[in-house]
Amino acid sequence: MEEPRRGRLTVYLGAAPGVGKTYAMLGEGQRRRERGTDIVVGYVETHGRQHTADMVDGLEVVPRRQLAYRGTTFTEMDVDAVVARKPAVVLVDELAHTNVPGSRHEKRAEDIEEIRRAGIDVITTVNIQHLESLNDAVERITGVRQRETVPDEVVRTADQIQLVDMSPEALRRRMAHGNIYKAEQIDASLTSYFRVGNLTALRELALLWLADRVDDALDDYRRAHRIEQPWPAKERIVVAVTGGGESETLLRRGARLAQRAAGSELLAVHVIASDGLTNPDERRISRAQQLVGSLGGTFHSVVGEDVSQAVVDFAAGANATMIIVGTSRHGRVRRLFTGTTGERIASLAGSIDVHLVTHDQGVGAGRSRWYASPLSRQRQLVGLVLAVLLPGLLTVGLRTSADADQLPLDVLLFLAVTVLVALVGGLLSALVAALVAFLVMNWFFTPPTGQFTISEPANVVALVVFVAVAVGVATVVDRASRRASDAVRARTEAATMSSLSRSVLTGQDTAEAIVARLQETFGQRAVSLLQRGPAGWTVVASTGADPACAPADGDTRVEVDDDHVIVMCGSPLRASDRRVLEAFAVQTGLVLEYRRLRERDERAADLERAEATSTAILRAVSHDLRTPLATMRTAVDGLVSGSLDPADQKELVGAVEASTEQLERLIDNLLDLSRIQSGLLHPVLRDRSLEEVLPLAVAGHAPGTVTLELDETTPLVHTDAGLLERVVANLVGNAVRVSAGRPVRVLVHVLPGTVEVLVVDQGPGIAPALRERMFEPFQRLGDTSPGGLGLGLAVARGLTEAMGGTLTAEDTPGGGLTMVLSVPRAAG
């Protein structure tokens, strides 16, 4: 079944009120009407502007829907009428408008969405300041926060966006002529919201936002039409970052080039080898990421086998206009045979410009020695010994054979010896073995023997091929050994990095955990994390025997940041282990930053809670405490007058007593809450019988209001009798207040380790989602009874937990709420 057609959305976007969005929308409506399009006005707000009202003439207007709210009648767009009319196009003003409560949808954008689902095209208007993502920026510019906003996605996904632009000076002239606001509002508007600076900034926001939208549309077009050739519609500079020391130089050069053209973008790309064996310096990569962010660019990582091709593919996908790459760090010989990355990028880039930048890390810097072996020195020494010894032993063995035509066999055997030496001692040992074997075969096995001359050309070829094959095989074997060593190291590093990441996810990312993992990973005697302070270095976390207390006391040091350093005591680390240690340093920096943020959040939360408490107390003082004080003052004035009969005097005295009790209860709750939150409450726990506590807690209520069901066999509880009585009395008082005359039951259930006191009411109950909230301070949750601060349940739970118990709420079967107070049973 074919899906119904979805209506198109056209948005007229303006930088400020009065630029002519509604006028332009109505103008398009008039043009479409003249072309025969079935078009209606769903909602247009003319704001009393005569020119705008004139543009509505000749257009069919769908009657608005009337809604009553708080004694006033409002009008909104009648979505049902528009859908029932089913025009081809509908004009709807003010996309970000919030509908009157009682409407089907909260926002007009949702009304438009429903109309589009009916297959009707919509043309609408919106100002740039109403976009959700720009709300904070607009407030900083104008000092006015927009209450009505629309998600950016609604406008960004529109089928067409028309910018209605006007210079600030022209808009202010329009304002001065009375074409936007009424005469009495002009002066105030021109000196506040409609200042030239404000309008210029809003105009720039609108142009930049729309430019990004146009850029997205261009990318969509290129993808849809499979256009891989970059289109230089906007200057985009891609910097190839290797992780070497030259990366920062290249990034700063790219930033300077980007600053020459307004609106340029800076993108840094780092290519990760797909085999996962070539690992860059993580600290340098991290510094490059931070530098790119500070320069206003973005950092990207891609995976590829061919670095040059990966860089060019990324640049083409980003529609870049220039690639910046550093000069090669390799020597002349390697560049002669393999070329350079910059040259290969230039040959692949096509129409993208390639900018080659020189740097201090150029030729010779960081060049690896071809003869450097990943094997231990002991294995290399053994290999050199075997390179001399094995050819000699093989020569002795072959000399026992008098066969003069066995040269091909000799070559194969000496080749096998060379491969064996390569496996044991690496490339250098294998080359020595090949040289020794060549000399030995020439002297002992190639006619004429006993001299370094060769009579047969075929033997010359055989020996030359032997040397070439031996060198080639030795190189392959050595490279395979290096790859295997790199793979083992990469696997170890990956396991270590995975462990670090897992520690973050499981919440074990503490400084103590980091230093303990460092000691375990590198086999160190002790590890310390030190912090620089005014008085010198202090130990943040340490593990092991005799940890270092200063950087100079350790054998290995690595900086975490300007004020923190990791110091390890034990065997010195190999150069290949420094990369993992740097990753630990980065992780430690994240841990310390997370700790600082967490402490700051905790302090902010404490301040917020304190502020909320202070606000609630001030509100209580201004209202809840004032009420009983006013009652007492009125009663005292009446008693002092001396003109009352005894009955009236008795009533006033009762009012004073009730108000005094109310004040005492409020003050007690405030003091209890303060003691609970500050940890100054110390209950006296003893073995008590509930028969001594509960009758006192339920006393004072009218007969038949509260029923106590307590068995004489109920075991003793370990609690503070006075605090328990206050908690139960509080719960019973709340239950009586909400039960509207229906009896409240107090029950006791005995469990293996606890005794539960249940206060059961048949009141309105509380929704499950609000039950935890009702135990927070100053929560009334709809309780409008006088004289309360919403502290009772918060104090009750605090007192219960101080006694080692729990207080929860459950539904009462048949309706109501049951408060469950669990108290520990006495031992024995």
Side-chain angles (χ1 to χ4, degrees), residues 200-446:
T200 303
L202 292 174
R203 188 187 188 195
E204 183 180 14
L205 280 179
L207 292 172
L208 291 176
W209 189 92
L210 188 60
D212 289 339
R213 174 65 179 85
V214 172
D215 201 50
D216 294 340
L218 178 60
D219 290 341
D220 293 340
Y221 181 86
R222 292 177 63 238
R223 281 193 295 269
H225 292 77
R226 299 182 179 179
I227 299 174
E228 298 181 358
Q229 189 79 3
W231 286 3
K234 183 179 182 180
E235 194 74 21
R236 286 188 179 86
I237 298 175
V238 172
V239 180
V241 176
T242 64
E246 77 281 2
S247 298
E248 296 183 10
T249 301
L250 300 183
L251 289 171
R252 292 190 176 93
R253 180 60 174 165
R256 288 198 300 271
L257 291 174
Q259 290 170 358
R260 295 178 181 177
S264 299
E265 291 185 19
L266 177 66
L267 301 91
V269 59
H270 170 63
V271 180
I272 303 173
S274 58
D275 56 13
L277 299 180
T278 305
N279 294 315
D281 190 328
E282 294 296 338
R283 279 185 71 84
R284 285 181 172 175
I285 291 294
S286 177
R287 285 199 298 267
Q289 289 178 326
Q290 295 174 359
L291 179 59
V292 171
S294 66
L295 295 174
T298 57
F299 189 92
H300 307 266
S301 295
V302 296
V303 178
E305 296 181 2
D306 186 344
V307 174
S308 304
Q309 187 66 55
V311 171
V312 173
D313 290 344
F314 173 83
N319 200 22
T321 56
M322 180 184 294
I323 300 174
I324 294 181
V325 62
T327 55
S328 176
R329 290 178 291 176
H330 302 307
R332 291 192 184 93
V333 175
R334 180 168 177 177
R335 283 185 290 155
L336 178 64
F337 289 99
T338 64
T340 66
T341 302
E343 293 171 351
R344 291 194 295 273
I345 289 177
S347 65
L348 296 171
S351 61
I352 305 176
D353 296 339
V354 178
H355 193 86
L356 200 62
V357 178
T358 58
H359 50 84
D360 294 337
Q361 303 291 324
V363 176
R367 188 189 308 172
S368 60
R369 295 174 296 174
W370 63 270
Y371 53 85
S373 175
L375 303 176
S376 64
R377 289 190 176 183
Q378 183 177 3
R379 281 189 60 178
Q380 294 181 62
L381 181 60
V382 172
L384 290 174
V385 173
L386 292 178
V388 177
L389 182 61
L390 289 182
L393 294 177
L394 181 59
T395 299
V396 173
L398 293 176
R399 291 284 293 173
T400 59
S401 173
D403 189 355
D405 297 329
Q406 65 177 7
L407 182 60
L409 176 62
D410 297 342
V411 170
L412 292 176
L413 291 176
F414 277 101
L415 181 61
V417 167
T418 304
V419 172
L420 178 61
V421 171
L423 290 173
V424 174
L427 179 60
L428 183 60
S429 300
L431 295 179
V432 172
L435 178 62
V436 172
F438 171 79
L439 296 175
V440 167
M441 284 191 293
N442 192 356
W443 183 272
F444 291 104
F445 301 106
T446 305

Side-chain angles (χ1 to χ4, degrees), residues 576-757:
S576 58
D577 292 330
R578 294 287 301 186
R579 183 167 53 247
V580 181
L581 182 59
E582 297 285 353
F584 271 101
V586 172
Q587 176 72 8
T588 305
L590 294 175
V591 168
L592 295 174
E593 181 64 20
Y594 175 71
R595 174 186 287 183
R596 285 193 291 267
L597 292 175
R598 185 169 53 195
E599 292 175 350
R600 188 176 65 184
D601 289 345
E602 290 175 353
R603 288 194 299 269
D606 292 339
L607 291 175
E608 185 177 356
R609 285 194 296 268
E611 183 178 357
T613 302
S614 301
T615 302
I617 291 176
L618 289 175
R619 186 173 60 247
V621 171
S622 64
H623 180 268
D624 296 288
L625 295 182
R626 182 180 296 174
T627 300
L629 288 174
T631 302
M632 294 171 64
R633 177 61 181 270
T634 302
V636 170
D637 290 343
L639 292 173
V640 171
S641 66
S643 59
L644 301 176
D645 55 42
D648 291 337
Q649 291 180 357
K650 183 177 181 181
E651 182 179 353
L652 292 177
V653 170
V656 172
E657 292 177 349
S659 298
T660 303
E661 292 176 357
Q662 182 180 340
L663 280 175
E664 290 177 349
R665 184 167 61 252
L666 294 177
I667 294 173
D668 287 344
N669 282 336
L670 286 172
L671 292 176
D672 287 339
L673 180 65
S674 175
R675 285 197 294 268
I676 291 170
Q677 292 182 339
S678 60
L680 298 177
L681 183 66
H682 303 291
V684 180
L685 303 178
R686 293 191 178 91
D687 295 344
R688 298 287 187 179
S689 171
L690 292 179
E691 292 181 327
E692 302 174 1
V693 179
L694 296 186
L696 298 176
V698 302
H701 297 283
T705 303
V706 182
T707 60
L708 175 61
E709 302 177 19
L710 177 61
D711 196 324
E712 295 180 355
T713 61
T714 301
L716 300 177
V717 295
H718 190 65
T719 186
D720 185 310
L723 297 182
L724 180 60
E725 178 186 342
R726 287 196 56 192
V727 172
V728 175
N730 184 294
L731 299 178
V732 171
N734 287 342
V736 170
R737 188 170 60 254
V738 300
S739 293
R742 291 183 290 271
V744 174
R745 301 173 61 198
V746 180
L747 312 176
V748 176
H749 287 172
V750 179
L751 299 177
T754 60
V755 175
E756 291 183 346
V757 179

